[in-house]
Amino acid sequence: MSVITDRRKLVELSQSLPADQRAHVDVASLLTLAAHAAQRRELEHAANILQGVLVVDPDHVGAWTLLGQVEQQLGEGEPAAEAYATALMLDDADLDTAMTLAELHAAAGRTGSARALLDWLVLEVDDAPELLERARVLAAKLAEVAP
């Protein structure tokens, strides 16, 4: 599957659309359609819808996050990581996305990136025991791989 996950390219595409055409696109409805397609396991369809959303609004955090989830379910680790990283760049308060990205980095063997995200995440988490448990489990796995 060839989905653009480079935000700069999507910004260029977005800017090439006339503003009046972008204004007529109902992003919320498209996101709902993409979420429903993902729930029905129509993952490529969901990714295509999300691609359209991101052409219209390349800064839509929810679309980037959902695209990361869809790509991850498709087994596309690198595009998923790129989508999650973009979502996190746009909204660094989304700690669940940060944790998921750390897990993807670890799965891809990028232990340094995973550890850096974990270190940052632990400092940011106030009251999220499930998230802290995920972080603890991942930190233990990383310690086994490269102490």
Side-chain angles (χ1 to χ4, degrees), residues 1-5 34 37-51 65-81 83-84 100 104:
M1 166 171 223
S2 179
V3 173
I4 299 172
T5 55
Q39 288 172 347
R40 291 188 310 269
R41 306 287 300 153
E42 297 170 2
L43 300 174
E44 290 190 17
H45 183 61
N48 288 331
I49 294 169
L50 291 165
Q51 182 77 70
T65 302
L66 185 54
L67 181 60
Q69 293 167 358
V70 167
E71 291 290 350
Q72 192 174 8
Q73 289 175 27
L74 284 166
E76 299 292 336
E78 286 307 309
Y84 284 132
T100 302
L104 279 172

Side-chain angles (χ1 to χ4, degrees), residues 27 30-32 34-35 46 50 53-54 57-70 83-84 86-88 90-91 94 97:
V27 169
L30 288 174
L31 280 174
T32 300
L50 291 165
V53 168
L54 291 169
D57 184 358
D59 291 336
H60 197 290
V61 176
W64 283 109
T65 302
L66 185 54
L67 181 60
Q69 293 167 358
V70 167
Y84 284 132
T86 301
L88 194 57
L90 295 168
D91 177 13
D94 186 350
T97 295

Side-chain angles (χ1 to χ4, degrees), residues 87-119:
L88 194 57
M89 178 192 72
L90 295 168
D91 177 13
D92 66 358
D94 186 350
L95 301 180
D96 189 59
T97 295
M99 185 64 223
T100 302
L101 182 57
E103 291 165 339
L104 279 172
H105 282 318
R110 294 186 298 269
T111 57
S113 296
R115 282 194 178 115
L117 268 171
L118 279 179
D119 290 345

